Amino acid sequence: MNKSVDDWLLGHKTRAVRTKDSGGFLLVLKKSPPLRPGYGLANLRTAALKQPEVMVKITRRKSNACNGLKGIRNHLDYISRNGEVEVENQDGEKLNGKKALRNQTKNWQKLGISENEKRCEALNIVLSMPAGMPPQAVKNAAREFAAEQFQVHQYAFALHTDSDRPDESTHPHVHLCVLIRD
Protein backbone atom coordinates (compact mmCIF):
# COMPACT_ATOMS: atom_id res chain seq x y z
CA MET A 1 0.00 0.00 0.00
CA ASN A 2 1.42 3.35 -1.01
CA LYS A 3 0.46 6.01 1.56
CA SER A 4 1.29 9.68 1.38
CA VAL A 5 2.71 11.61 4.30
CA ASP A 6 -0.71 13.19 4.81
CA ASP A 7 -2.31 9.76 5.08
CA TRP A 8 0.10 8.87 7.86
CA LEU A 9 -0.30 12.12 9.79
CA LEU A 10 -3.96 12.93 9.27
CA GLY A 11 -6.44 11.02 11.33
CA HIS A 12 -4.18 10.56 14.36
CA LYS A 13 -6.04 11.92 17.33
CA THR A 14 -4.27 14.19 19.76
CA ARG A 15 -4.76 13.91 23.49
CA ALA A 16 -3.96 15.39 26.86
CA VAL A 17 -0.79 14.00 28.38
CA ARG A 18 -0.19 13.98 32.13
CA THR A 19 3.19 15.49 32.97
CA LYS A 20 5.36 13.93 35.64
CA ASP A 21 7.04 17.02 37.04
CA SER A 22 4.21 19.34 38.06
CA GLY A 23 1.06 17.28 38.33
CA GLY A 24 -0.39 19.32 35.47
CA PHE A 25 -1.60 18.40 32.04
CA LEU A 26 -0.16 19.19 28.64
CA LEU A 27 -3.11 20.11 26.48
CA VAL A 28 -2.94 19.00 22.90
CA LEU A 29 -6.09 20.22 21.21
CA LYS A 30 -8.28 17.72 19.38
CA LYS A 31 -9.46 18.77 15.96
CA SER A 32 -10.66 16.69 13.07
CA PRO A 33 -8.38 16.37 11.24
CA PRO A 34 -5.50 17.63 13.43
CA LEU A 35 -3.45 18.62 10.38
CA ARG A 36 -4.60 20.17 7.13
CA PRO A 37 -4.36 17.98 4.02
CA GLY A 38 -1.41 18.81 1.82
CA TYR A 39 0.76 20.06 4.69
CA GLY A 40 2.25 16.74 5.85
CA LEU A 41 5.68 17.30 4.32
CA ALA A 42 5.74 20.91 5.49
CA ASN A 43 4.92 19.78 9.05
CA LEU A 44 7.60 17.10 8.98
CA ARG A 45 10.12 19.60 7.59
CA THR A 46 9.25 22.09 10.32
CA ALA A 47 9.73 19.43 13.00
CA ALA A 48 13.00 18.25 11.46
CA LEU A 49 14.35 21.81 11.34
CA LYS A 50 13.31 22.23 14.96
CA GLN A 51 11.16 25.26 14.26
CA PRO A 52 9.76 26.93 17.37
CA GLU A 53 6.72 25.27 18.88
CA VAL A 54 4.36 26.45 21.56
CA MET A 55 3.40 24.34 24.54
CA VAL A 56 0.07 24.97 26.24
CA LYS A 57 -0.05 23.53 29.74
CA ILE A 58 -2.99 23.63 32.12
CA THR A 59 -1.44 23.37 35.55
CA ARG A 60 -2.94 21.81 38.63
CA ARG A 61 -1.16 23.33 41.54
CA LYS A 62 -0.98 21.49 44.82
CA SER A 63 -1.89 24.71 46.62
CA ASN A 64 -5.45 24.63 45.22
CA ALA A 65 -4.64 27.76 43.24
CA CYS A 66 -7.96 27.64 41.42
CA ASN A 67 -10.22 27.13 44.43
CA GLY A 68 -12.18 30.19 45.45
CA LEU A 69 -11.10 33.79 45.44
CA LYS A 70 -8.29 33.00 47.87
CA GLY A 71 -6.75 30.54 45.41
CA ILE A 72 -7.12 32.95 42.53
CA ARG A 73 -5.51 35.73 44.57
CA ASN A 74 -2.61 33.43 45.47
CA HIS A 75 -2.13 32.54 41.82
CA LEU A 76 -2.16 36.20 40.76
CA ASP A 77 0.44 36.89 43.45
CA TYR A 78 2.56 34.09 41.99
CA ILE A 79 2.29 35.20 38.35
CA SER A 80 2.92 38.84 39.33
CA ARG A 81 5.90 37.86 41.49
CA ASN A 82 4.10 39.50 44.43
CA GLY A 83 3.30 42.64 42.47
CA GLU A 84 6.71 43.06 40.82
CA VAL A 85 5.72 41.83 37.32
CA GLU A 86 3.04 43.60 35.30
CA VAL A 87 -0.23 41.71 34.86
CA GLU A 88 -2.68 42.52 32.09
CA ASN A 89 -6.40 41.71 32.15
CA GLN A 90 -8.90 40.92 29.37
CA ASP A 91 -9.58 44.63 28.80
CA GLY A 92 -5.90 45.43 28.23
CA GLU A 93 -5.69 47.16 31.61
CA LYS A 94 -2.20 46.96 33.12
CA LEU A 95 -2.21 45.85 36.75
CA ASN A 96 0.96 47.00 38.50
CA GLY A 97 1.45 46.21 42.15
CA LYS A 98 -0.51 44.32 44.76
CA LYS A 99 -3.16 47.02 45.16
CA ALA A 100 -4.17 46.79 41.49
CA LEU A 101 -4.32 43.00 41.76
CA ARG A 102 -6.54 43.23 44.86
CA ASN A 103 -8.90 45.56 42.96
CA GLN A 104 -9.06 43.00 40.14
CA THR A 105 -10.00 40.19 42.53
CA LYS A 106 -12.63 42.44 44.16
CA ASN A 107 -14.18 42.91 40.72
CA TRP A 108 -14.14 39.15 40.18
CA GLN A 109 -15.75 38.61 43.58
CA LYS A 110 -18.82 40.44 42.21
CA LEU A 111 -19.34 37.44 39.91
CA GLY A 112 -20.28 35.40 42.98
CA ILE A 113 -16.96 33.70 43.68
CA SER A 114 -16.64 33.13 47.41
CA GLU A 115 -13.38 33.42 49.31
CA ASN A 116 -12.98 29.74 50.20
CA GLU A 117 -14.93 28.04 47.43
CA LYS A 118 -14.33 24.28 47.22
CA ARG A 119 -14.76 24.23 43.44
CA CYS A 120 -12.12 25.25 40.96
CA GLU A 121 -13.02 28.75 39.77
CA ALA A 122 -10.13 29.43 37.37
CA LEU A 123 -7.90 27.68 34.89
CA ASN A 124 -4.19 28.27 35.28
CA ILE A 125 -2.57 28.00 31.88
CA VAL A 126 1.08 28.33 30.87
CA LEU A 127 1.95 29.26 27.29
CA SER A 128 5.57 28.29 26.88
CA MET A 129 7.83 29.33 24.02
CA PRO A 130 11.31 28.17 23.01
CA ALA A 131 14.43 29.94 24.22
CA GLY A 132 15.41 32.93 22.15
CA MET A 133 11.91 34.10 21.31
CA PRO A 134 11.47 37.86 21.79
CA PRO A 135 9.54 38.34 25.06
CA GLN A 136 7.26 41.04 23.64
CA ALA A 137 6.29 38.78 20.73
CA VAL A 138 5.46 36.03 23.22
CA LYS A 139 3.28 38.42 25.24
CA ASN A 140 1.53 39.69 22.10
CA ALA A 141 0.83 36.12 20.94
CA ALA A 142 -0.54 35.21 24.37
CA ARG A 143 -2.76 38.31 24.36
CA GLU A 144 -4.19 37.33 20.95
CA PHE A 145 -4.64 33.69 22.00
CA ALA A 146 -6.50 34.66 25.18
CA ALA A 147 -8.73 37.19 23.40
CA GLU A 148 -9.65 34.62 20.76
CA GLN A 149 -10.11 31.57 22.99
CA PHE A 150 -11.68 33.18 26.07
CA GLN A 151 -13.90 35.90 24.60
CA VAL A 152 -16.67 35.55 27.19
CA HIS A 153 -14.39 34.99 30.19
CA GLN A 154 -12.42 37.32 32.36
CA TYR A 155 -8.70 36.63 32.64
CA ALA A 156 -5.34 38.05 33.57
CA PHE A 157 -1.88 37.14 32.33
CA ALA A 158 1.76 37.90 33.01
CA LEU A 159 4.96 37.37 31.06
CA HIS A 160 7.87 35.63 32.76
CA THR A 161 11.37 35.74 31.32
CA ASP A 162 14.72 34.47 32.53
CA SER A 163 15.56 38.02 33.59
CA ASP A 164 12.83 37.90 36.27
CA ARG A 165 14.65 35.33 38.36
CA PRO A 166 18.04 33.67 37.90
CA ASP A 167 16.68 30.22 38.84
CA GLU A 168 13.93 30.37 36.19
CA SER A 169 14.12 28.57 32.86
CA THR A 170 15.64 30.47 29.95
CA HIS A 171 12.56 30.77 27.78
CA PRO A 172 9.80 33.36 27.85
CA HIS A 173 6.42 32.07 28.95
CA VAL A 174 3.07 33.52 29.92
CA HIS A 175 0.95 32.55 32.90
CA LEU A 176 -2.75 32.97 32.17
CA CYS A 177 -5.46 32.86 34.84
CA VAL A 178 -8.91 32.39 33.25
CA LEU A 179 -12.12 32.53 35.26
CA ILE A 180 -14.35 29.57 34.51
CA ARG A 181 -17.52 31.61 35.05
CA ASP A 182 -18.57 33.73 32.09
Side-chain angles (χ1 to χ4, degrees):
M1 178 185 266
N2 191 5
K3 285 189 155 193
S4 72
V5 173
D6 284 336
D7 292 334
W8 285 104
L9 294 176
L10 295 172
H12 290 283
K13 297 204 188 254
T14 56
R15 57 191 168 82
V17 179
R18 185 171 177 80
T19 60
K20 294 178 183 176
D21 59 343
S22 68
F25 287 89
L26 171 65
L27 177 67
V28 183
L29 300 175
K30 286 188 176 184
K31 289 191 177 183
S32 290
L35 302 173
R36 293 184 353 200
Y39 287 83
L41 284 176
N43 289 322
L44 283 175
R45 183 177 184 276
T46 298
L49 293 174
K50 298 186 179 184
Q51 295 293 321
E53 293 181 359
V54 178
M55 181 179 72
V56 178
K57 182 178 180 182
I58 299 175
T59 61
R60 185 186 60 175
R61 298 179 54 107
K62 294 180 176 115
S63 63
N64 295 325
C66 65
N67 293 1
L69 205 58
K70 180 181 179 183
I72 293 170
R73 189 180 304 110
N74 288 340
H75 185 65
L76 289 178
D77 285 344
Y78 170 74
I79 70 172
S80 72
R81 300 285 196 225
N82 290 314
E84 295 175 16
V85 172
E86 179 181 85
V87 175
E88 185 176 327
N89 69 14
Q90 70 283 343
D91 299 323
E93 181 183 355
K94 310 291 192 239
L95 309 171
N96 291 301
K98 284 192 149 205
K99 185 176 180 181
L101 292 171
R102 294 300 171 255
N103 289 336
Q104 182 68 55
T105 56
K106 284 178 186 174
N107 288 337
W108 288 351
Q109 188 174 25
K110 294 173 187 172
L111 297 173
I113 301 171
S114 67
E115 186 69 22
N116 293 307
E117 182 72 44
K118 300 259 188 240
R119 293 178 300 170
C120 185
E121 292 287 350
L123 289 176
N124 301 325
I125 302 171
V126 179
L127 304 171
S128 182
M129 309 290 185
M133 293 293 292
Q136 192 58 46
V138 173
K139 188 173 185 178
N140 292 342
R143 181 183 299 112
E144 289 179 30
F145 168 80
E148 181 181 306
Q149 297 299 315
F150 306 111
Q151 294 174 9
V152 298
H153 296 273
Q154 294 190 37
Y155 56 84
F157 63 94
L159 172 70
H160 287 189
T161 63
D162 57 341
S163 61
D164 295 338
R165 296 230 169 124
D167 60 336
E168 193 172 284
S169 57
T170 60
H171 63 276
H173 58 281
V174 171
H175 290 268
L176 177 62
C177 178
V178 181
L179 295 188
I180 293 173
R181 296 180 189 212
D182 60 10

